[in-house]
Amino acid sequence: MATTTYGWLVLLFPLLGTLAVGLGYRPLGGRASNRAAGWIGTAAIFLAFLAALGALISLQGHPPEHRQLVSSLWNYAATVGLDAQMSILVDPLSVFMILVVTGVSTLIHLYSISYMEGDRGFARYFSYLNFFVFSMLLLVLAGNFLLLIVGWAFVGAASYLLISFWYRRTTATRAGIKAFVINVVGDVGLVLGTYFIFKHTGTLDFLKSFHAAGAGAFGHGGENGDLVAGCVLLLVAAFAKSAQIPLHTWLPDAMEGPTPVSALIHAATMVTAGVYLIARMHPLFELVPSAQDVGAIVGAGTLLIAGTIGLAQTDIKRVIAYSTMSQIGYMIMGVSVGAYAAGLFHLMTHAFFKALLFMAAGSIIGAMAGEQSLDRMGGFRKAMPFTYGCFVIGGLALSGVPPFSGFFSKDDILLVTAERGGWHWALYVMGYVGALLTAVYTFRMIFRAFHGEPVAEARELEAGHPHHAEVGRNPATGEEEDSDVGFPGPIHAIAERALPMRVAMGVLALGAVGAGLVQIPKVDFVIDDFLRPSFAGSKLYEPHTRNGLLVFGLALGTLLALIGIALAHRVWVARPGTATAIRTRTRAGRALHELFVNKWYFDELIELLVVRPGVAAGGFARDTFERLFVEETLIGGPTGLVRAGSAAVRAAQSGFVRYYAALLVLGVTGVGFYFLLQS
């Protein structure tokens, strides 16, 4: 079977799953219908994973210089100067991405079968979930800008559907709208960036565009203005989709969706799209070093700011969300400085341990009957040993403790960044400061949720009786909720009692432990060599070099992770109340806590600088331009003339014959006078 055929199958299976679950589950009826919908949706993604494996094996049979294969179904629009085709590009980069997306998504679907059991929107949920995966796969397999834009927009639409899944929650619908609007900003950036690139290359095809750019389509002297604009706009698209400052504010609010959705957004889809976009467009970005610098600086700034915010959040899912934002910052920084293989390596390992952390968080939220606040949790270590073990494994991988996967991939990014020299050393230092923060907020979350005195819910679970809330409540606002459609269902699953959840979490835990061993930085080059054909023309791609800085970096990363864990243990276990004392007794502590808990006031700044001026401009346009000019002048003027004319005509139609005869005589007289005057 041709390699590209596997690529089309990767797209086909999730699309069929979307249709089958959305349209074909009803004949079974009841609980059997829900179970069937879940297994059909999971099977569709698993088949896509098998097809991705087929693409990997088939691609390896080609010589390295012929591993960029394009397949087109038909010409979407073919005219003078336009070559828009329904085509996919199967190469090492896209195969790498589809393996990560389908593999992790399969486990998230499996987990969801138990987690969402009893929810009245079960089939709708799996249909949306399959569509989300299909959209992401379309994005990474696209062979041209047209299909990339379609996949990019589909991912935004799917995220809106899933974040707002519990649509009777006002907080969920607002979060969905917020995510959609900010991602539309990214969509606009992608479309406009495509225009500037197409303007010079004359093609929408990726490989042809890159060849034209390398051949001088944008000139040979200095940075071309249109190319700079195009690359910066592509960065806007990447920052919006990957939640980088200042377009990140949608990400924590996206926690309003079901926990498996959070895992899917953060581990396998959506937020990784920006990393992929920069890596895919590397031939263009390497012609514009200033755009690369912007990406690297924003990534480094994001990883630090997100880390500080994570220190102060009390919603367990939001802490993990900010850790995602921080880790994506590492990846954006990596691919922006040319550490392509290292950034994508971290994308892979991050998918394992981040999905695991969200699943473990979902298990403890189930034990709390939907409660998400760390202030209400504690002492679950004995009641939930499996969940606790998975949480610790994910936390160690996230913190970069050896031999867990994050240790290898994160330090690989920082090592290559340091090799760039010059001002990149500042990014190197920022990366390790972020690593320290990561260990602190990660184990703050673990110690607060699982250690200390058991809360009432933990004691109930230890006694063999999972806690069940008498009245469902919105964890963000405390509002009462029922369990009908549009709200979470009445069943709260935990991993200790649900086999599908345990299987999914167990496989991810193995990945979080061992995935980093796939490539030890500067020792072996498995991922580097596999991805090399996709970056064959790059001047920055990592060479096979051994660097003495490696040992120092790995040792420093390990030391900072252990210091962070020890610090978190001292503050929240050995001496509980220390954090409160720092926050309340020192002016600096109060100021920093206010800054971090209010998320650096980004929401307030956007409200002040964008939302309010936009609302004011819209109100002014409505009350002045629209009402006075459009309604009264453009519309009201012609309408008034027509009404006056029709009123005159109505007055003339009196129905009296004598009146009509008089008008006729006057008319004839007037015509006669006219001809007399003309003569």
Side-chain angles (χ1 to χ4, degrees):
M1 185 179 292
T3 304
T4 54
T5 303
Y6 286 112
W8 288 113
L9 290 175
V10 167
L11 291 174
L12 179 64
F13 288 128
L15 183 59
L16 291 178
T18 301
L19 298 174
V21 174
L23 303 176
Y25 79 98
R26 292 186 182 278
L28 294 173
R31 186 172 180 178
S33 173
N34 281 346
R35 280 283 178 177
W39 286 110
I40 290 171
T42 304
I45 305 303
F46 181 65
L47 289 173
F49 174 67
L50 294 180
L53 286 176
L56 170 66
I57 296 170
S58 180
L59 188 68
Q60 292 296 90
H62 293 268
E65 63 273 14
H66 294 113
R67 289 182 184 171
Q68 290 184 306
L69 308 174
V70 178
S71 173
S72 179
L73 288 182
W74 66 81
N75 290 336
Y76 179 78
T79 183
V80 177
L82 184 65
D83 59 345
Q85 298 180 333
M86 297 296 292
S87 62
I88 60 173
L89 170 61
V90 180
D91 71 338
L93 176 56
S94 61
V95 169
F96 179 89
M97 290 297 298
I98 62 176
L99 283 168
V100 173
V101 172
T102 56
V104 176
S105 296
T106 298
L107 298 173
I108 293 172
H109 277 68
L110 180 63
Y111 176 94
S112 298
I113 291 173
S114 292
Y115 190 86
M116 295 298 291
E117 185 177 8
D119 195 291
R120 291 289 300 276
F122 191 91
R124 176 170 57 92
Y125 168 84
F126 273 93
S127 182
Y128 290 170
L129 216 60
N130 269 231
F131 177 63
F132 201 176
V133 176
F134 164 75
S135 302
M136 186 65 187
L137 293 171
L138 180 65
L139 188 158
V140 299
L141 280 169
N144 56 59
F145 285 99
L146 173 68
L147 220 54
L148 174 68
I149 291 169
V150 173
W152 201 267
F154 278 6
V155 167
S159 69
Y160 166 75
L161 294 172
L162 285 167
I163 294 169
S164 303
F165 178 75
W166 288 320
Y167 55 84
R168 289 174 63 196
R169 279 183 174 175
T170 55
T171 52
T173 53
R174 288 173 184 169
I177 293 171
K178 185 176 183 179
F180 185 78
V181 169
I182 293 178
N183 275 276
V184 165
V185 174
D187 296 348
V188 172
L190 181 60
V191 172
L192 293 178
T194 297
Y195 163 74
F196 282 109
I197 295 166
F198 174 76
K199 176 182 175 183
H200 288 266
T201 62
T203 178
L204 293 175
D205 183 84
F206 287 158
L207 299 182
K208 293 178 182 177
S209 294
F210 302 155
H211 178 74
F218 293 94
H220 297 283
E223 295 184 358
N224 178 276
D226 283 349
L227 183 57
V228 172
C231 288
V232 169
L233 287 165
L234 292 180
L235 284 178
V236 170
F239 294 162
K241 197 70 77 181
S242 292
Q244 301 294 284
I245 57 173
L247 300 174
H248 68 282
T249 56
W250 65 269
L251 189 65
D253 291 0
M255 298 303 97
E256 290 291 335
T259 301
V261 171
S262 303
L264 190 62
I265 289 175
H266 290 247
T269 61
M270 193 150 183
V271 295
T272 60
V275 181
Y276 164 78
L277 179 66
I278 297 175
R280 174 60 77 195
M281 299 297 154
H282 74 275
L284 303 177
F285 279 101
E286 289 187 11
L287 296 174
V288 189
S290 58
Q292 288 184 304
D293 294 345
V294 171
I297 292 169
V298 170
T302 300
L303 73 88
L304 277 181
I305 289 174
T308 59
I309 297 173
L311 291 172
Q313 297 301 302
T314 56
D315 185 307
I316 190 170
K317 287 175 65 176
R318 288 180 182 243
V319 176
I320 304 174
Y322 280 108
S323 80
T324 298
M325 183 177 152
S326 180
Q327 298 306 303
I328 297 295
Y330 280 101
M331 301 175 209
I332 292 288
M333 182 177 73
V335 294
S336 294
V337 300
Y340 304 118
L344 292 165
F345 182 30
H346 194 51
L347 184 152
M348 180 189 76
T349 61
H350 175 265
F352 286 111
F353 61 72
K354 187 51 55 69
L356 177 63
L357 285 170
F358 269 112
M359 289 182 181
S363 183
I364 196 171
I365 290 169
M368 294 290 297
E371 178 62 56
Q372 297 178 189
S373 175
L374 288 169
D375 293 335
R376 287 275 297 108
M377 297 177 186
F380 275 98
R381 181 174 50 172
K382 292 182 180 179
M384 306 180 72
F386 180 81
T387 299
Y388 175 66
C390 289
F391 224 125
V392 171
I393 289 172
L396 290 171
L398 173 59
S399 301
V401 175
F404 298 90
S405 58
F407 165 73
F408 298 102
S409 58
K410 185 189 300 182
D411 283 285
D412 198 5
I413 292 174
L414 297 176
L415 175 62
V416 178
T417 301
E419 288 178 341
R420 297 290 177 259
W423 65 272
H424 292 93
W425 281 102
L427 304 181
Y428 181 78
V429 173
M430 292 170 71
Y432 279 111
V433 173
L436 175 63
L437 293 174
T438 299
V440 174
Y441 68 67
T442 300
F443 277 85
R444 165 186 175 261
M445 175 174 56
I446 292 173
F447 290 143
R448 293 192 66 181
F450 291 96
H451 290 250
E453 190 68 22
V455 296
E457 292 84 355
R459 294 189 185 278
E460 285 186 56
L461 192 57
E462 286 181 28
H465 307 290
H467 177 68
H468 179 75
E470 294 296 328
V471 178
R473 294 187 181 277
N474 185 327
T477 63
E479 295 174 307
E480 291 189 8
E481 299 176 341
D482 58 47
S483 58
D484 203 348
V485 63
F487 280 133
I491 299 174
H492 299 284
I494 62 174
E496 277 70 10
R497 292 171 176 258
L499 180 60
M501 293 173 67
R502 285 201 305 277
V503 171
M505 291 169 65
V507 174
L508 288 169
L510 291 175
V513 173
L517 298 175
V518 171
Q519 174 170 294
I520 300 174
K522 302 303 180 183
V523 175
D524 57 54
F525 304 91
V526 175
I527 300 225
D528 289 37
D529 290 341
F530 174 71
L531 291 173
R532 191 173 299 278
S534 293
F535 298 92
S538 172
K539 299 177 181 178
L540 300 176
Y541 199 72
E542 298 95 316
H544 284 192
T545 58
R546 269 73 177 175
N547 193 318
L549 190 63
L550 171 65
V551 176
F552 171 78
L554 294 177
L556 178 60
T558 303
L559 178 62
L560 290 174
L562 295 176
I563 290 173
I565 295 171
L567 183 61
H569 184 272
R570 181 176 179 82
V571 172
W572 285 284
V573 178
R575 292 188 177 182
T578 303
T580 303
I582 295 173
R583 186 171 65 240
T584 57
R585 295 178 186 175
T586 64
R587 182 177 299 176
R590 286 194 298 272
L592 287 176
H593 179 263
E594 286 298 314
L595 179 65
F596 298 160
V597 82
N598 287 291
K599 299 164 285 190
W600 288 65
Y601 297 99
F602 273 102
D603 280 301
E604 290 78 3
L605 284 171
I606 292 174
E607 176 79 18
L608 179 65
L609 300 177
V610 179
V611 177
R612 289 184 183 177
V615 171
F620 175 79
R622 180 195 61 210
D623 296 335
T624 56
F625 180 78
E626 184 176 353
R627 184 172 61 84
L628 297 178
F629 180 70
V630 176
E631 292 184 0
E632 296 186 8
T633 304
L634 292 183
I635 298 176
T639 301
L641 291 175
V642 171
R643 286 176 178 172
S646 62
V649 172
R650 284 198 305 271
Q653 301 297 319
S654 64
F656 294 104
V657 176
R658 288 173 296 176
Y659 180 67
Y660 294 154
L663 286 177
L664 180 61
V665 171
L666 288 174
V668 172
T669 303
V671 171
F673 273 115
Y674 172 78
F675 283 111
L676 286 173
L677 292 173
Q678 290 296 319
S679 62

